Amino acid sequence: MSTDPRSVRRGGGEGSGQGDAGIAPVVINGPARPAGRATIRRANLGLVLRLLRETGPRSRARIADDAGLPRPTVTGLVTELIELDLVREGDAERDGSVGRPGQNVRIDGRALCGIGLEINVDYLAAVALTLGGDTVFERRVALDVRAAGPEAVLDRAAGLVREALATLDAAAIATAGVTVATPGVVDISAGTVVYAANIGWRDIDAVSGIRARLGRGAPPLRLENDAKLGAVAEYLEASAAGIHDLIYVTGETGVGGGIISGGRLHRGAAGFAGEIGHMPLDPGGALCACGRRGCWETMVGLTALLRHAAAPEDPVHDPSLDLEARLTDLQARAGAGDSRTLEALDRIADGLGLGLALLADVLNPRAVVLGGYFTYFGDRLAPRVERLMAERVMAPDTGGCRLLLSTLGFTAPARGGALLALDPVYEDPARTVATATATGA
């Protein structure tokens, strides 16, 4: 097993071209449709755009060869994508053949953004990403979400979206959509948070609530579980290293999981896959926010770390303070050899090793990616977790599973939300751009 950070970042923007990128996330949600001429053209436009995202810049000739399309067809498709401001031509590419070299075509997308909005226990966060992967807006505000209550939180969330939209409008960037990320069980079709124990929400119409606050002209909104969105963001990082089966494990007040199998987000039969934080690993243990005892998150969640590492009156427990500042404080204590902090981290590592070994036995991923607060203490947690997994996993060599530390930290769910908001452009580029332009008009 290895905790080396992934050195290759995936991107369809300015990055150099790659060879066979293997399986990569294409349209995350997109049912098959009858194939008329217009449908075929939409599909081919999306195919070219996905190819550029997954394999990097290339000439029209290479696009035609890779996509299995006639070169005149690709020329027309690229021309249309250029007119939509989704791709642009760059440097000349010589493929070794005689004749005039072709110009590289690369994803541009500077005129189109997706917004991810995360509602977490201790904060709200928003990120706006261009199609090329550039961050145009990013902000996180500390907030005790449970204490504030749903209405006040939705007010603040809508205000954060307005800030992002104002930034994009000032830069003449259209918005493809907004994805709201929340913990817990969500009904994505209804836009409802069915039950999120750690923030005290039940049957909250998050999407309609934010849409009503934004008023007319609001961009398309959708809802998704935060850990699933974190997995989407992490997969775009890991897939560049050839990893197409992974489990993303959040490290926050709650512990959730996002599962990528064969390059696709695994939702489960009813969409609830990934509620790993409520695996009952210690039935006689601490009381969980869900009402049961001994759930995994009571052993390894942020609340468990703080409970073991500091007295109740310690400022690191104060949810009105920025979470990263509190974690940096604990980092410093660990670095100074504070025995209580180090003992707390050992307990967290033991709990992680137990739960991750079970997940590795059941799902046999190529990698487990630890996100959230786990990344702050990765150098202290990882060796102990790796050893415990190696001892507990049934398959030899931990079933080929690597332990990785997120390079995205707490931004992963919001970034995944922004990526998901951009996802429709890879299914129907022209329609998505037209809708985004009309919305911002």
Side-chain angles (χ1 to χ4, degrees):
M1 296 173 63
S2 170
T3 55
D4 291 341
R6 289 139 291 172
S7 60
V8 182
R9 292 180 63 88
R10 187 168 195 83
E14 298 295 330
S16 61
Q18 301 169 2
D20 180 6
I23 304 170
V26 288
V27 178
I28 297 172
N29 296 295
R33 298 172 178 168
R37 180 171 295 181
T39 301
I40 291 172
R41 184 164 185 81
R42 284 197 300 267
N44 284 339
L45 282 169
L47 173 62
V48 171
L49 204 57
R50 291 194 297 272
L51 182 66
L52 292 172
R53 177 183 66 178
E54 294 161 15
T55 58
R58 56 205 46 237
S59 68
R60 286 174 170 83
R62 287 184 65 192
I63 293 172
D65 291 343
D66 292 342
L69 296 171
R71 294 191 180 188
T73 298
V74 168
T75 295
L77 295 171
V78 169
T79 298
E80 184 170 348
L81 291 171
I82 290 174
E83 291 171 352
L84 292 169
D85 289 330
L86 296 178
V87 305
R88 62 188 173 89
E89 292 181 310
D91 300 331
E93 177 185 83
R94 188 176 293 277
D95 58 9
S97 60
V98 177
R100 183 180 177 182
Q103 283 187 298
N104 264 333
V105 178
R106 63 182 65 229
I107 282 185
D108 186 354
R110 289 172 292 181
L112 186 67
C113 261
I115 297 174
L117 169 71
E118 183 186 5
I119 298 174
N120 206 293
V121 176
D122 299 313
Y123 62 84
L124 304 180
V127 173
L129 299 178
T130 68
L131 195 66
D134 295 323
T135 302
V136 180
F137 176 90
E138 184 170 7
R139 189 175 173 210
R140 187 180 69 245
V141 293
L143 180 65
D144 186 341
V145 168
R146 176 185 281 273
E151 294 302 313
V153 171
L154 294 179
D155 285 343
R156 296 285 298 274
L160 203 52
V161 173
R162 284 194 203 95
E163 289 185 42
L165 291 172
T167 300
L168 299 184
D169 288 344
I173 300 174
T175 303
V178 179
T179 305
V180 182
T182 72
V185 177
V186 301
D187 184 336
I188 60 174
S189 61
T192 301
V193 180
V194 178
Y195 179 54
N198 287 309
I199 59 175
W201 285 18
R202 186 185 291 275
D203 296 326
I204 301 298
D205 294 329
V207 167
S208 63
I210 294 174
R211 183 183 291 118
R213 287 164 170 82
L214 293 177
R216 292 185 60 186
L221 280 91
R222 66 199 301 180
L223 176 70
E224 184 53 273
N225 171 266
D226 57 353
K228 289 184 175 66
L229 291 175
V232 170
E234 293 292 349
Y235 176 59
L236 289 193
E237 302 288 304
S239 61
I243 297 172
H244 306 297
D245 296 87
L246 65 82
I247 304 170
Y248 168 70
V249 181
T250 64
E252 307 198 25
T253 299
V255 173
I259 303 164
I260 301 290
S261 179
R264 304 290 294 186
L265 178 65
H266 177 67
R267 297 183 182 278
F272 302 147
E275 287 296 322
I276 58 177
H278 297 288
M279 296 188 298
L281 299 188
D282 184 15
L287 183 66
C288 181
C290 73
R292 297 180 293 183
R293 287 192 175 275
C295 292
W296 193 31
E297 69 181 42
T298 68
M299 302 166 62
V300 301
L302 179 60
T303 300
L305 172 66
L306 297 179
R307 184 175 68 249
H308 298 316
E313 64 276 10
D314 194 294
V316 297
H317 288 279
D318 186 351
S320 68
L321 301 178
D322 181 70
L323 178 57
E324 293 198 50
R326 291 187 280 151
L327 292 174
T328 300
D329 188 353
L330 285 178
Q331 264 186 329
R333 298 181 196 184
D338 178 69
S339 60
R340 180 164 181 172
T341 304
L342 294 176
E343 289 171 7
L345 290 172
D346 283 345
R347 293 185 68 165
I348 297 297
D350 290 346
L352 277 173
L354 174 63
L356 294 181
L358 291 174
L359 292 172
D361 274 336
V362 173
L363 296 171
N364 188 215
R366 278 282 309 281
V368 170
V369 182
L370 296 180
Y373 91 80
F374 298 134
T375 62
Y376 278 74
F377 308 99
D379 58 337
R380 297 183 181 275
L381 295 174
R384 192 176 182 106
V385 173
E386 287 182 321
R387 186 176 69 253
L388 290 169
M389 289 181 68
E391 293 171 356
R392 292 177 178 274
V393 174
M394 292 291 293
D397 192 27
T398 326
C401 178
R402 298 169 59 191
L403 184 67
L404 301 174
L405 299 175
S406 171
T407 59
L408 303 177
F410 287 105
T411 69
R415 291 183 68 86
L419 293 169
L420 187 58
L422 285 167
D423 196 60
V425 77
Y426 293 100
E427 181 182 11
D428 192 342
R431 181 179 179 184
T432 303
V433 170
T435 300
T437 304
T439 299

